[in-house]
Amino acid sequence: MKFAVRYLKNTFYPLNVPDSMKLEDGQMVIVRTEKGEEALKAFIVNSQVEKIWEHSKNKPEPLPVIRTMTQRDLQTLEEIKKEEVTAYFKCQALVKQHKLSMNLVQCRITFDRRKITFYYTAPERVDFRALLKDLTQVFTRVRIDLRHIGVRDETSILEGVGLCGQPFCCSSFLRKFATINVKLAKDQGMPIAPGKISGTCGRLLCCLTYEYSNYIDAAKGMPPIGSSVMTTEGLGKVCYLQFMSGKVAVKMEDGKTKEFDKNDIEMVDADVNVEIDVPAINNYPDEDSSNIDIKQLEDDKNSSTGNI
């Protein structure tokens, strides 16, 4: 399997290429899929990945290549892209006509024009039987699929750039969405403000899970914020923690704040007369989050469906 295509859910599928066909890296091909004929870009498979696939029992089923795309096929693909835009607005108009509580996200048409799929989000189950009846009259001799997806699925389809300046993880390499809650942000000392810990989808950032285990390991042996500790320079109270560096900031009895290695301090049962401030990292006066329920950023039944 020397060639593959990226298809559903950021998964690479190996290609069954006929011996008589000459294929090059990055070339557009017509592939037969479960949805019909699709126009996809072929990539050369890394030799190490090829070896893994040879011995793997869970590799995706190879997709048969029908042919490489000709100049005429490329023109047809451009026409289909325009048809998708037109079909999207036609469907959107019908949704408004039927007063349905659904947000149309995208329209996709297979290369053979035998199937048209409309992706939508909705806060609850939608009875679209009347809508489907009208769609069958507008789009004749074609299979119509109305597919409900979550807001995280919506973002992965539409693509974009995240706070880090990189393409969305859900659009580039993530195959499944992990369950994410506010505790992940709190345990990592992240600012508990919607604009700092949520993505374009309106849910908590997927990357909150990437380094979580490292923070949990680093937090071992760390005293809680506000606890009294004995340092090499006397008593004080812990005011903030630097998990990755293993440093603990302690406000001393003289009012000065100093950093110590977590191995150089010891928790004590003593009443230290020191007032500590909320760490600046968690204090964002420019963002009003008083009217926002942080729990709304967590996963729910409308976050992701895997139904792409």
Side-chain angles (χ1 to χ4, degrees):
M1 300 295 178
K2 293 185 178 180
F3 290 91
V5 291
R6 195 173 79 169
Y7 188 41
L8 300 175
K9 301 173 187 175
N10 297 321
T11 301
F12 280 89
Y13 287 74
L15 293 178
N16 269 338
V17 183
D19 295 335
S20 58
M21 183 181 297
K22 185 179 180 181
L23 198 56
E24 297 179 358
D25 183 45
Q27 192 168 6
M28 295 293 293
V29 294
I30 305 297
V31 177
R32 183 173 291 108
T33 71
E34 58 182 11
K35 294 183 179 182
E37 293 182 4
E38 298 271 21
L40 301 170
K41 183 182 289 187
F43 298 93
I44 291 179
V45 177
N46 182 285
S47 59
Q48 294 180 339
V49 174
E50 187 176 1
K51 289 180 180 179
I52 294 174
W53 270 353
E54 287 177 358
H55 300 91
S56 175
K57 296 180 180 179
N58 298 319
K59 73 175 180 181
E61 284 294 321
L63 300 176
V65 177
I66 300 174
R67 67 178 184 276
T68 57
M69 292 187 69
T70 63
Q71 191 61 38
R72 176 56 188 161
D73 288 330
L74 293 173
Q75 292 175 359
T76 300
L77 183 60
E78 287 298 318
E79 293 171 2
I80 290 175
K81 295 299 180 184
K82 294 178 181 178
E83 291 174 11
E84 288 176 340
V85 175
T86 303
Y88 172 90
F89 285 109
K90 286 182 179 180
C91 182
Q92 190 177 57
L94 289 173
V95 169
K96 291 181 179 179
Q97 179 181 321
H98 288 280
K99 298 179 180 179
L100 296 175
S101 180
M102 56 189 287
N103 173 48
L104 198 62
V105 175
Q106 193 181 64
C107 167
R108 287 182 181 174
I109 302 175
T110 57
F111 187 80
D112 55 14
R113 290 187 171 97
R114 293 183 178 179
K115 184 176 182 179
I116 181 170
T117 304
F118 295 100
Y119 295 95
Y120 71 92
T121 60
E124 54 189 19
R125 190 178 181 86
V126 178
D127 183 359
F128 51 69
R129 286 175 293 182
L131 171 64
L132 185 59
K133 183 178 179 181
D134 286 348
L135 287 173
T136 55
Q137 294 177 352
V138 175
F139 304 101
T140 57
R141 291 180 294 182
V142 61
R143 279 186 0 189
I144 299 172
D145 184 10
L146 286 165
R147 189 158 294 200
H148 178 235
I149 60 174
V151 291
R152 297 174 82 182
D153 301 312
E154 176 185 8
T155 304
S156 70
I157 287 178
L158 298 179
E159 302 183 352
V161 176
L163 295 172
C164 58
Q166 298 295 319
F168 292 150
C169 298
C170 57
S171 300
S172 52
F173 65 88
L174 277 185
R175 298 181 186 176
K176 294 182 179 180
F177 290 108
T179 300
I180 306 175
N181 54 51
V182 175
K183 184 177 182 297
L184 294 177
K186 290 181 178 178
D187 289 348
Q188 296 176 70
M190 294 288 290
I192 308 304
K196 312 298 179 182
I197 59 175
S198 62
T200 304
C201 60
R203 297 297 188 269
L204 293 171
L205 293 166
C206 293
C207 54
L208 288 176
T209 62
Y210 297 170
E211 298 178 355
Y212 183 67
S213 59
N214 294 336
Y215 276 89
I216 295 302
D217 292 338
K220 294 176 181 178
M222 288 279 200
I225 293 177
S227 58
S228 300
V229 294
M230 174 62 75
T231 73
T232 55
E233 299 185 24
L235 287 171
K237 273 189 179 180
V238 177
C239 55
Y240 64 88
L241 307 171
Q242 300 285 357
F243 292 110
M244 292 295 97
S245 63
K247 300 292 184 180
V248 179
V250 180
K251 191 170 184 178
M252 312 303 292
E253 291 181 303
D254 60 4
K256 296 181 179 179
T257 300
K258 298 181 180 180
E259 285 191 356
F260 300 90
D261 189 275
K262 67 179 181 181
N263 298 318
D264 295 335
I265 63 174
E266 182 180 353
M267 290 182 62
V268 295
D269 186 12
D271 186 15
V272 181
N273 188 23
V274 173
E275 292 186 3
I276 61 173
D277 301 321
V278 176
I281 191 173
N282 288 325
N283 190 14
Y284 284 84
D286 61 321
E287 181 170 345
D288 182 13
S289 59
S290 57
N291 297 323
I292 300 177
D293 182 6
I294 298 296
K295 285 289 184 180
Q296 292 179 358
L297 303 179
E298 296 184 346
D299 287 335
D300 56 29
K301 63 181 180 180
N302 290 313
S303 293
S304 57
T305 62
N307 200 27
I308 301 176

